[in-house]
Structure formats: structure tokens, C-alpha cells
Amino acid sequence: IVHSSAPVAASPNPLTNNPAAPRIARNVNTHPQNKIFARISVGKSNPYINEQIPLSLKVYHKGNLRSLNIPPLKLDNFISEKSDKAKEYQETEGIDDYLVYEIDFMLFPVKAGTLAIPSNQIKAIVLEDNNNLTLGNFDPFRMMNPFLIEREIELETNALQLTVKDLPKGAPKGFSGYVGELAVNHTLKQNSVKAGEALSIQTKLYGSGDPSSIDTNLIHESKLYSVFKDKESSREEVNNSIKYFELITNTAIIASKSTGKLAIETKPIISFNPKTGQYESHGGQRFEIEVLPNTDDSSESENEPALATKENGSKKKVVATKEIFVIPD
């Protein structure tokens, strides 16, 4: 999760950025009675601390919008992330139909209490009727419609206030601060392994919180096996304005030389679910595998020559001969 910092520009079609466009006048439009106005809204006004809440910035217009310049929103006391894609659609406001340009943000409040999101200013260039058009200044070869002029206006969004709740006391041991829905699934690829060889446990995590607060080293250490973190992959998707992540990790387990039953345990992940208001435990599992003798053991190295069988059945050592290279001075 990163802080939103770069100005946001409208998409090239049908809205185009045109920094060189003439700036003729400046108006402040905040009311739906105007042909263009801006509004912000949040999906939840009383979230828990660290809970993801969606924020939408909508610009309503009548098809007369040429470009937008949206500076970074004032989002103190929040970690914020802007969606990569804007939405464009039609919406009815009162009795009027508007075209809407929407940019979505994901917010994570970092403190409890009353938090304010102040109004934000947005600059836009719109097309308006050219009421000063006369025959003398009419240019039939002008690329833009001569009956329209470009005008720079300034939009101002509404302000919002959120009441952020602290997490309940009595968090279980091992809680690392993850707030959101979470599902954890471990899959053991095989039920047996030869001594000294590796087996794999795949872990899938799916949730709506901040994955950076999750420790993905989920296999308990043991003297009976070694643990090696392998491949890790992730992806994200937005569903009903909430951003979800899927994280897949693979862990290699190498059993010791001993044979027999081997138990492998995974560490539970403690989360807080804002929908239920409860702390929850996920993914604490115990796997039992069979460690088999390794008949393919190639531990007999060049320093430990293999044993050959004599005709009478006894063993004799076979000394390996090597060619010695002498490096001249």
C-alpha cells in the first residue's frame, strides 16, 4: 500500500488533457444545478482502525468536459491507494441525467477517533457556448467548433467526517494487526517422502486487508526437517469497490535421514474480522507424513568407495583410481 501522490488526469477518450488550452475564466461549481460538479463519498462512515474502506471521487458533467487536473487528495491519517482505472458511465441526479467520471481510492485509517476528509479543489476545462461570436471573428477553418469556447473552472468537493473505532481489547497472542476478511488454505502435495528428499506445502491466502501485516513464514521449525521458502505469487481484484488480494506461497520441507512418521505443523494467522467484530484464527494445521528409506541414497562418494561382492559372497572394497594432473610451474 502506498500513499497517493501523483496528480490524476482524465482518460484520453472522451476526456483529453490539454495543458495549452486557453484559460479564459474561473468559476467555482459545487451544486448539482450547475452543468458540472464533483462529489466524494465513502462506503463506510464508522470503520475500524486499519479496515479497508472505499472512497469514490465523482465528477458529474453534461458531456462538456474537456480535461481534468485532480491534485492529490488531502487524506491525513489514512493510508491510501488509487485505483489504476477510472470509470465512465451515466447516472441520474435528481431529475437530470449526467455523465460521470469516477476515480476510486482504497483507504486504511491509521488512528481511531473522529477523522476528517476536507473538501478538495479540482481544476477542469469545459466547453461553453460562445456568446461573443460575431461575423468578424468567425474562422470557418478553425478545428474546434467556433460556436464553443473553452473555459477553465474550479470544482470543489464536499467534506466528510468518519468515526473510526479502535479494535476490541483482548487480542489473542500472535495478532499482528491484520484487519479484514481472510481465508487460509494449506495443501500438502504428497503424503510420503524418501529420507533426505523434499516435499512441498502450498499456501493460499485470500483477503481484503493489508497483506503486508501477515508473516508468510507459516511452517513451524523443527529438528526433524528443514524449511525453505520457495516461489511466491500474488494478484489483486476489485469486487464491489473493495480490493481483494490472493497470495500463493510454496514451502519446501526436507525430511531428516530418519524414517517413520513425521508431523509438520503450520502456524495459525490471527486476524480481526470487521464484519463479525471478532478475532479469528486461520490455517493452523497438522500434517502427518511417512518418511521412507532412501534406497537411492548416493552418499557413497568418491571418498567412500562402493562395496563390491566377491564370488564367495563377502564384501571387498573397490579402490577408485584417479588420473592426477600435475600443473607445471
Side-chain angles (χ1 to χ4, degrees):
I1 302 294
V2 296
H3 288 278
S4 175
S5 59
V8 180
S11 60
N13 186 14
L15 311 181
T16 56
N17 275 327
N18 185 5
R23 299 186 174 185
I24 301 171
R26 175 170 299 183
N27 297 329
V28 177
N29 293 338
T30 59
H31 196 275
Q33 290 180 350
N34 295 296
K35 290 185 178 181
I36 179 171
F37 63 98
R39 179 182 295 159
I40 59 172
S41 61
V42 293
K44 194 172 185 179
S45 59
N46 60 335
Y48 284 98
I49 187 173
N50 295 330
E51 178 184 356
Q52 181 186 171
I53 54 174
L55 180 145
S56 296
L57 167 62
K58 296 182 180 180
V59 177
Y60 295 77
H61 62 98
K62 291 284 192 177
N64 57 329
L65 183 58
R66 289 278 289 173
S67 68
L68 283 173
N69 181 11
I70 304 176
L73 300 185
K74 301 169 187 175
L75 297 171
D76 296 337
N77 300 317
F78 295 92
I79 293 175
S80 67
E81 181 179 356
K82 182 178 70 68
S83 176
D84 294 334
K85 295 182 180 180
K87 304 174 185 175
E88 293 179 88
Y89 53 91
Q90 186 172 320
E91 186 175 299
T92 300
E93 177 71 32
I95 60 173
D96 292 326
D97 292 331
Y98 286 87
L99 296 175
V100 179
Y101 184 82
E102 178 181 341
I103 300 174
D104 293 327
F105 296 79
M106 281 66 71
L107 304 184
F108 294 84
V110 296
K111 62 181 291 187
T114 301
L115 303 185
I117 300 177
S119 60
N120 288 264
Q121 283 69 44
I122 300 170
K123 294 180 181 180
I125 294 179
V126 297
L127 292 178
E128 293 185 352
D129 293 335
N130 188 357
N131 297 322
N132 297 322
L133 182 65
T134 63
L135 185 61
N137 61 19
F138 176 76
D139 183 0
F141 299 101
R142 188 179 177 191
M143 295 298 293
M144 192 175 70
N145 189 336
F147 297 97
L148 298 174
I149 60 172
E150 292 182 339
R151 180 183 296 272
E152 183 184 83
I153 63 173
E154 188 173 278
L155 310 176
E156 185 174 356
T157 70
N158 53 306
L160 294 175
Q161 187 169 284
L162 281 68
T163 303
V164 181
K165 298 176 289 188
D166 212 341
L167 300 182
K169 295 181 179 180
K173 183 180 179 180
F175 176 64
S176 61
Y178 178 90
V179 177
E181 296 179 272
L182 183 66
V184 180
N185 180 50
H186 300 291
T187 303
L188 182 65
K189 297 293 185 178
Q190 60 207 76
N191 294 321
S192 62
V193 67
K194 293 180 179 180
E197 295 187 357
L199 58 87
S200 177
I201 293 179
Q202 185 179 82
T203 302
K204 291 185 178 181
L205 300 95
Y206 187 82
S208 60
D210 180 2
S212 66
S213 61
I214 297 177
D215 182 3
T216 57
N217 296 305
L218 298 173
I219 309 298
H220 275 292
E221 301 288 340
S222 173
K223 295 180 179 180
L224 301 178
Y225 54 80
S226 302
V227 179
F228 298 93
K229 194 79 169 291
D230 198 3
K231 300 175 183 177
E232 186 171 297
S233 62
S234 63
R235 68 180 185 91
E236 298 174 338
E237 65 178 6
V238 177
N239 189 0
N240 293 328
S241 299
I242 295 293
K243 189 174 189 177
Y244 292 87
F245 70 89
E246 182 185 62
L247 185 63
I248 300 177
T249 66
N250 292 281
T251 306
I253 310 293
I254 300 180
S256 65
K257 293 283 185 178
S258 60
T259 59
K261 297 290 185 181
L262 176 63
I264 300 174
E265 295 186 0
T266 61
K267 304 173 186 177
I269 299 175
I270 308 299
S271 71
F272 178 78
N273 189 337
K275 287 192 172 182
T276 63
Q278 300 291 326
Y279 293 98
E280 299 175 350
S281 178
H282 310 268
Q285 291 179 244
R286 176 186 173 94
F287 297 99
E288 196 169 90
I289 65 168
E290 185 76 24
V291 181
L292 306 174
N294 194 340
T295 56
D296 300 328
D297 194 352
S298 57
S299 61
E300 295 162 335
S301 64
E302 293 174 350
N303 294 326
E304 296 176 341
L307 293 177
T309 305
K310 293 183 179 180
E311 292 181 1
N312 60 7
S314 61
K315 302 267 184 173
K316 69 175 182 178
K317 279 208 170 186
V318 178
V319 179
T321 59
K322 295 183 181 179
E323 189 172 315
I324 300 176
F325 294 90
V326 179
I327 301 176
D329 295 333

